[in-house]
């Protein structure tokens, strides 16, 4: 996963195909849709990366 904070304060994410699928599972999990149990640790790692990327910009 690559990420960039633009000068306007927007977040750009670049995901590979695997990360794209995991992001879909993450969104499904957040909306209480069941996800495959074998994907849970990978989903957690991706969620941690996203949370880290979102936390990089200082709060106004």
């Amino acid at each position: 996963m690559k990420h960039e904070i633009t000068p306007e304060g927007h977040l750009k994410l670049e995901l590979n195909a695997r990360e794209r699928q995991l992001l879909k599972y993450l969104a499904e999990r957040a909306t209480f849709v069941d996800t495959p149990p074998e994907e849970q640790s990978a989903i957690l790692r991706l969620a941690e990366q996203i949370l880290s990327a979102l936390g990089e910009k200082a709060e106004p």
Side-chain angles (χ1 to χ4, degrees), residues 8-60:
E8 298 83 18
H10 299 136
L11 174 68
K12 290 184 177 183
L13 291 177
E14 182 179 322
L15 305 174
N16 64 31
R18 172 81 172 131
E19 291 164 336
R20 180 186 177 279
Q21 181 63 47
L22 293 173
L23 184 59
K24 179 180 177 282
Y25 289 146
L26 188 145
E28 290 172 347
R29 189 170 206 61
T31 57
F32 303 105
V33 175
D34 288 335
T35 56
E38 66 274 8
E39 296 287 14
Q40 290 177 0
S41 63
I43 291 167
L44 176 60
R45 284 192 303 276
L46 182 61
E48 288 171 339
Q49 286 181 311
I50 291 169
L51 289 171
S52 176
L54 290 173
E56 283 189 4
K57 181 160 174 52
E59 294 298 316

